[in-house]
Amino acid sequence: MLSGKKIILGITGGIAAYKSAWLVRAFIKAGAAVRVVMTPEAKDFVTPLTLSTLSKNPVLSSFTQDEENELWNNHVKLGLWADFLVIAPATANTLAKMASGASDNLLLATYLSAKCPVYFAPAMDLDMYKHATTQANFKLLASFGNIMIPATSGELASGLEGQGRMAEPDDIVAFMTKDIRSKLPFYGKKVLITAGPTYEAIDPVRFIGNHSSGKMGYALAECAANLGAEVILISGPTALTVKHSSITVKEIVSAAQLFEQVKSYFDEVDVAIAAAAVADYRPINPADEKIKKKTERLQITLEPTEDSLKYMGAHKKSQFLVGFALETENEIENAKGKLQRKNLDLIVLNSLNDTGAGFRTQTNKVTLINASGTINPQELKPKKEVAKDIFNHIRQALHV
Ligand code: CTP
């Protein structure tokens, strides 16, 4: 959730500031870019040098600091740069100023200018935490839409025991990740995607396969995960890998294995997309040993494979079902026929007649056809963009 995101980490003057160095590391490890803004008091607890080294960015703490020869630090620019502003540790003093709209330091001015979600992780002694003013400020900040990462209980710097310890850096990252995911449109939804080719064995070393690279299916999986879904990606042999922790890959080789996986997961998903290029036929009784070369003709008898998409169409309850159709002639008519025969909600037609579309390319040119027959032709686009178009269509249909 934080990968590729821009985070301003605001550090205020409390002993928990020593944990900020770990927090910068944790954000960077999660794939985020970090800029640190400190209050002047925070510099007594942790050095800007440590934080600039870890964040690989200059640390800002005053309006007039000379950054890259600018005479003043533009808090408006900073506020607009960020995807998230995280204030950790947030002292009682800074929280009170945030609640009242004071802006007597760069961090507060940045806070007032920021348009992005704001998280704050309070850290203070237990009595300060419990104080009616602090509690009222928590409520006020929540009413502004700011998100509190509650302090934990335990031994405090004062030697007293109670609530007021700043959440641990890894817990802050976990809290934010969960919070961001929970606001995504596909949060709580499960999506099944089939991708890649299947290989149907002729003998132990040979197979019938196809040119599918799996790129379209993997782009769809990535897109679904970015929208907050839990994804089951049933994948034939490809050279691709997934990075997203919400994608579970089930590797298969043959159409029969793909079918088994589809049967075991289909009931539990909300959306299923069949992007795999599944072999329609497989050799009957593949040879146990490598077939030796002879002078006469070799005949291999084929039998039909299981049609996973047809199975899903026949067994669907409330699932939104999407199929692909690769056609070379009578494209629209054939795709519409498939949509009806397989009881789909949407079919994605790609034509091998279009340059840049189909197997092994980075791009695809598709036409979306829905169950009521509406035909929606798209431009030639990178497969990632095509995946977005498909999910935009699904979102409209599901009203999410
Ligand atoms: N499909 C599947 N299982 C199969 C064959 C196809 O799940 N055994 C799915 C594909 O993933 C695709 C859709 O069905 O989403 C259509 O595949 P396609 O090969 O174009 O159509 P077929 O039904 O095989 O018909 P034909 O080959 O005659 O065009």
Side-chain angles (χ1 to χ4, degrees):
M1 288 296 116
L2 295 180
S3 176
K5 299 293 181 202
K6 292 175 274 186
I7 298 177
I8 293 179
L9 174 61
I11 305 175
T12 69
I15 182 60
Y18 84 91
K19 292 184 187 171
S20 308
W22 287 104
L23 187 52
V24 173
R25 282 287 303 135
F27 283 148
I28 301 264
K29 230 171 91 189
V34 183
R35 302 200 72 174
V36 173
V37 180
M38 301 174 88
T39 61
E41 294 74 19
K43 290 200 275 186
D44 294 335
F45 292 92
V46 59
T47 74
L49 182 63
T50 304
L51 298 161
S52 62
T53 308
L54 291 171
S55 67
K56 301 185 183 74
N57 270 316
V59 169
L60 310 175
S61 65
S62 80
F63 290 105
T64 51
Q65 197 172 315
D66 182 0
E67 191 223 344
E68 288 162 17
N69 300 320
E70 284 180 7
L71 291 178
W72 69 299
N73 289 318
N74 188 335
H75 53 276
V76 178
K77 224 162 75 181
L78 258 177
L80 293 176
W81 173 82
D83 294 311
F84 301 105
L85 169 60
V86 184
I87 303 178
T91 58
N93 181 43
T94 291
L95 290 171
K97 289 180 178 179
M98 284 161 65
S100 67
S103 63
D104 63 357
N105 63 41
L106 182 66
L107 177 58
L108 289 164
T110 306
Y111 165 72
L112 286 179
S113 314
K115 294 211 170 9
C116 60
V118 176
Y119 292 85
F120 65 92
M124 63 199 74
D125 216 52
L126 75 161
D127 292 317
M128 295 170 80
Y129 198 88
K130 274 194 292 203
H131 196 280
T133 309
T134 309
Q135 292 294 325
N137 286 338
F138 288 161
K139 286 202 184 104
L140 201 52
L141 291 170
S143 76
F144 301 160
N146 299 165
I147 304 143
M148 177 156 107
I149 305 170
T152 59
S153 292
E155 194 185 335
L156 301 165
S158 62
L160 297 172
E161 292 248 351
Q163 192 171 16
R165 285 164 65 102
M166 185 179 94
E168 295 303 321
D170 285 344
D171 295 336
I172 291 178
V173 172
F175 181 101
M176 288 178 63
T177 303
K178 196 169 163 211
D179 184 69
I180 297 162
R181 275 199 71 198
S182 72
K183 291 169 182 155
L184 292 172
F186 273 67
Y187 181 70
K189 295 208 182 298
K190 277 195 175 178
V191 176
L192 182 153
I193 294 167
T194 70
T198 65
Y199 291 173
E200 310 301 326
I202 296 171
D203 68 15
V205 292
R206 303 178 180 99
F207 58 82
I208 297 175
N210 60 66
H211 292 302
S212 169
S213 63
K215 281 180 192 143
M216 194 61 244
Y218 276 63
L220 284 161
E222 198 76 21
C223 185
N226 287 337
L227 289 169
E230 280 294 330
V231 183
I232 299 151
L233 177 61
I234 303 172
S235 172
T238 74
L240 306 173
T241 51
V242 291
K243 285 183 226 102
H244 216 294
S245 59
S246 308
I247 304 174
T248 307
V249 182
K250 301 284 169 189
E251 289 180 0
I252 56 94
V253 176
S254 64
Q257 290 170 350
L258 184 133
F259 185 54
E260 285 312 309
Q261 293 287 353
V262 163
K263 277 198 296 183
S264 60
Y265 289 106
F266 182 60
D267 283 348
E268 63 188 67
V269 302
D270 303 283
V271 175
I273 308 177
V278 188
D280 287 333
Y281 293 94
R282 71 174 150 242
I284 293 180
N285 302 325
D288 290 333
E289 306 297 335
K290 186 178 167 210
I291 300 170
K292 287 290 185 193
K293 184 166 60 182
K294 296 188 191 118
T295 47
E296 64 268 29
R297 279 185 180 175
L298 173 68
Q299 274 202 339
I300 298 171
T301 310
L302 306 177
E303 63 178 353
T305 57
E306 302 79 2
D307 190 326
S308 291
L309 184 56
K310 199 168 168 197
Y311 168 89
M312 292 192 272
H315 291 83
K316 84 172 179 190
K317 295 187 181 84
S318 57
Q319 293 95 331
F320 191 90
L321 189 55
V322 184
F324 272 72
L326 183 66
E327 304 293 341
T328 53
E329 53 176 352
N330 299 328
E331 293 145 347
I332 299 276
E333 205 180 304
N334 284 342
K336 277 186 167 174
K338 253 174 223 178
L339 178 122
Q340 273 160 14
R341 272 199 311 281
K342 300 197 187 190
N343 192 24
L344 310 180
D345 299 291
L346 178 70
I347 194 149
V348 183
L349 163 68
N350 38 2
S351 151
L352 274 189
N353 298 330
D354 290 315
T355 327
F359 289 145
R360 286 193 172 160
T361 56
Q362 297 292 349
T363 50
N364 209 355
K365 187 171 183 308
V366 302
T367 300
L368 305 181
I369 307 172
N370 67 19
S372 47
T374 310
I375 300 168
N376 211 332
Q378 309 285 319
E379 300 294 311
L380 180 73
K381 291 179 186 177
K383 285 183 175 166
K384 281 186 179 167
E385 296 302 315
V386 176
K388 281 188 197 160
D389 288 344
I390 294 169
F391 269 99
N392 281 340
H393 190 99
I394 299 172
R395 285 180 66 180
Q396 266 177 23
L398 298 182
H399 305 291
V400 290

